[in-house]
Amino acid sequence: MGYVIGGIACIIYAAFVYYVAIKKPPSIIRLIKKKLNKNMSDDAAVIVSYVFASIALAGGIVLFVLAAVK
């Protein structure tokens, strides 16, 4: 049951970060730039968002597979 909850959390996080990468709300992009690197461009922040969302999505899929195997 824990794997399923973790998988759902990862999928929800990935969906939110993909939303941020696609819509590019200025306040959230500014927050990403502030947390990672102040000299980062907006395009670099969007690419970082895509990368983190893809990692979270892959993690969610792995957790769902682990839940199915058990």
Side-chain angles (χ1 to χ4, degrees):
M1 184 69 178
Y3 289 130
V4 174
I5 294 171
I8 291 171
C10 284
I11 299 292
I12 291 172
Y13 174 77
F16 175 72
V17 177
Y18 275 129
Y19 169 78
V20 167
I22 292 169
K23 294 293 184 178
K24 300 176 195 159
S27 59
I28 298 178
I29 293 294
R30 195 171 349 158
L31 180 67
I32 292 170
K33 290 167 56 174
K34 180 180 171 186
K35 291 293 181 182
L36 294 178
N37 185 1
K38 294 183 187 211
N39 298 328
M40 182 184 296
S41 68
D42 287 350
D43 292 335
V46 169
I47 291 171
V48 167
S49 297
Y50 278 124
V51 169
F52 282 131
S54 299
I55 291 170
L57 185 63
I61 291 170
V62 167
L63 289 173
F64 279 130
V65 169
L66 288 174
V69 170
K70 275 197 161 191

